[in-house]
Amino acid sequence: MNANDGKRMLWVDHMYRIRDDQDQQAFAELFAHFAPRVKGFLINSGADGSLAEECAQEVLATCWHKAHMFDPARASVATWIFTIARNRKIDVLRKQRRPEPEDLGWGPEEDPDQADVMALQQESEQLGRAIAELPANQRELIEKAYFGDLSHSEIAEQTGLPLGTIKSRIRLALERLRHAMK
Amino acid sequence: MMENNIKHHLTDDILIGYAAGTLPEAFNLMVAAHLSLCDTCRAQAESFDAVGGEILDTAPATDVMLEPGSFAATMALIAGGPVDEIRAPRVPDSILPGPLQDYVGGDLADVQWRGIGMGVKQAILPTSRDASARLLFIPAGAAMPDHGHKGTEMTMVLQGAFQDEDDYFARGDVEVADSDMHHTPVADIHEDCICLAVSDAPLEFQGLLPKIVQRFARI
């Protein structure tokens, strides 16, 4: 069992409260969980303590400002925060632009179907459990690929990640988005 | 503009690097351009984002301490309002996917081509110097000079098509080549071919003359 099982829908609810009510209590809980982890991610990527602290604060402030862009039918809250932290890392640590693919419209659909949200969040949970159950050496390599600075040729052997269901779910969400734009 | 017939996709190690944020800028540009055309790889890339999310979520929280007053400082940042992001408008349904338009500073008509011989033209795009990105224009039916590779090179078709000894590549298809590969791609006869090519090492042309061209043309 993963300590975060069942928490994902709670985080989604927190994001709604931040978006709709500017709820500081919900934000404080989100901050307490994610801010130290984002800071750790940045330190592992080569930032010193004070730069990592500054960036972690900026990443969490971005979560507040961009709460309306979060689409729970397409990503877990942890995934969404990870992508914001990753982009900040490229911007500040590597001093590069991050080229982004073409947008699929402006943010999430008006009201994502609750069943789609549940399904995506549950599959994130299954993914988390599957990663936790990987052999220790494989899991370590994956952590290094994301948190260290393993080059792409060094991670060329890292296939076999358990992505099956989550990938189909994301694919479905993309198709819905494209359909909604027509 | 999504393409449904893409047969040659990005490799998982490149997509993991894109998700992790460890690729050179030129490679990120290739991935962003390809994902704009290919939902298969976009879904794969987003599922690698999900792996990153899970690893972030389950990282031990006890390793890192926040500064005292960190939360209050963040609330002060929030009170200061969002940072404006200004992005030049992108042309829809262009030969150039949106992220490439950002680097060209416009659409296909704005590309600053330079001839490199035999009717082949290129335009180097401004990325960090750990890898290079350029647009290539190859006249219909023309061959690219035979070259070997150091490091990793990826070539994606934007217009027309090309074929090498083994395969046929059309819009959205990516050819990934490594140091073992020597090949002679030829542009399809029906249309001039435009490609995005990225490399983390200079190309090595065989023969003396192309070497001189290489020095002046920065490829």
Side-chain angles (χ1 to χ4, degrees):
Chain A
M1 277 295 279
N2 182 323
N4 289 312
D5 281 3
K7 284 200 180 156
R8 287 171 182 75
M9 284 306 289
L10 193 69
W11 289 135
V12 169
D13 189 59
H14 278 55
M15 286 304 303
Y16 286 150
R17 283 161 57 194
I18 293 166
R19 182 193 66 186
D20 298 336
D21 309 321
Q22 291 78 51
D23 185 329
Q24 290 202 18
Q25 182 57 39
F27 183 70
E29 288 168 26
L30 194 84
F31 184 93
H33 182 72
F34 286 106
R37 291 176 166 88
V38 168
K39 185 175 177 180
F41 167 64
L42 294 162
I43 288 172
N44 277 307
S45 303
D48 65 30
S50 67
L51 182 62
E53 171 74 33
E54 193 184 313
C55 289
Q57 291 176 14
E58 287 165 358
V59 167
L60 271 292
T62 301
C63 293
W64 176 287
H65 287 307
K66 291 199 171 170
H68 62 285
M69 299 291 291
F70 170 64
D71 183 352
R74 210 166 142 195
S76 70
V77 174
T79 297
W80 187 65
I81 294 177
F82 168 75
T83 60
I84 295 170
R86 183 236 7 241
N87 292 357
R88 197 79 196 120
K89 169 182 102 167
I90 293 172
D91 189 14
V92 173
L93 261 60
R94 299 170 66 95
K95 306 218 183 320
Q96 295 176 5
R97 283 203 275 174
R98 158 94 179 176
E100 292 287 347
E102 281 173 15
D103 294 329
L104 302 178
W106 294 102
E109 286 177 77
E110 206 52 35
D111 259 319
D113 191 328
Q114 188 64 10
D116 288 338
V117 174
M118 291 279 289
L120 190 278
Q121 300 300 323
Q122 275 168 12
E123 284 175 5
S124 302
E125 198 163 301
Q126 287 163 15
L127 176 67
R129 223 172 297 148
I131 293 170
E133 284 164 7
L134 287 172
N137 58 342
Q138 201 180 348
R139 193 188 144 84
E140 263 167 43
L141 260 166
I142 291 165
E143 283 172 1
K144 262 175 93 176
Y146 281 85
F147 275 27
D149 231 359
L150 227 53
S151 78
H152 63 93
S153 52
E154 289 169 306
I155 55 177
E157 304 306 313
Q158 291 313 300
T159 46
L161 279 169
L163 296 178
T165 52
I166 191 150
K167 187 186 165 186
S168 346
R169 183 63 55 184
I170 292 168
R171 183 75 199 253
L172 198 67
L174 291 175
E175 278 162 18
R176 292 227 171 104
L177 265 178
R178 292 203 181 278
H179 187 73
M181 287 191 317
K182 273 177 190 163
Chain B
M1 186 174 48
M2 217 230 323
E3 300 290 322
N4 280 315
N5 297 317
I6 295 172
K7 293 188 182 62
H8 301 277
H9 297 276
L10 289 169
T11 52
D12 279 353
D13 56 308
I14 294 291
L15 291 174
I16 292 173
Y18 185 71
T22 54
L23 295 181
E25 188 178 357
F27 282 22
N28 280 336
L29 178 58
M30 170 60 81
V31 176
H34 181 74
L35 298 194
S36 299
L37 301 176
C38 180
D39 269 5
T40 303
C41 287
R42 197 192 278 252
Q44 184 78 344
E46 287 189 19
S47 52
F48 284 132
D49 285 348
V51 173
E54 291 307 316
I55 292 171
L56 181 75
D57 204 15
T58 54
T62 47
D63 286 7
V64 177
M65 294 290 287
L66 294 173
E67 299 286 329
S70 187
F71 182 71
T74 305
M75 290 313 296
L77 276 180
I78 288 169
V83 183
D84 281 340
E85 285 172 56
I86 301 160
R87 197 164 71 181
R90 289 166 166 182
V91 182
D93 300 329
S94 163
I95 293 291
L96 299 182
L100 278 176
Q101 293 180 31
D102 297 344
Y103 278 75
V104 164
D107 204 3
L108 193 56
D110 303 302
V111 176
Q112 305 278 317
W113 295 108
R114 297 184 68 169
I116 55 172
M118 315 282 278
V120 177
K121 296 185 285 186
Q122 73 169 3
I124 294 173
L125 302 176
T127 62
S128 62
R129 297 189 65 86
D130 46 355
S132 64
R134 67 216 155 97
L135 291 169
L136 281 172
F137 176 97
I138 304 148
M144 285 287 291
D146 182 27
H147 56 275
H149 306 263
K150 278 182 184 164
T152 302
E153 190 200 336
M154 292 180 277
T155 309
M156 180 169 77
V157 176
L158 299 168
Q159 174 189 290
F162 71 81
Q163 58 193 112
D164 64 12
E165 286 82 348
D166 306 313
D167 272 310
Y168 186 84
F169 298 82
R171 179 168 166 87
D173 283 326
V174 186
E175 185 200 52
V176 182
D178 61 25
S179 47
D180 303 329
M181 197 162 164
H182 283 257
H183 66 163
T184 316
V186 178
D188 190 278
I189 194 71
H190 297 99
E191 197 178 1
D192 294 334
C193 181
I194 296 173
C195 296
L196 170 68
V198 302
S199 169
D200 59 4
L203 290 182
E204 231 183 290
F205 285 102
Q206 291 173 349
L208 179 64
L209 188 62
K211 272 229 167 80
I212 294 169
V213 173
Q214 187 178 356
R215 190 178 308 151
F216 288 107
R218 261 186 74 199
I219 52 179

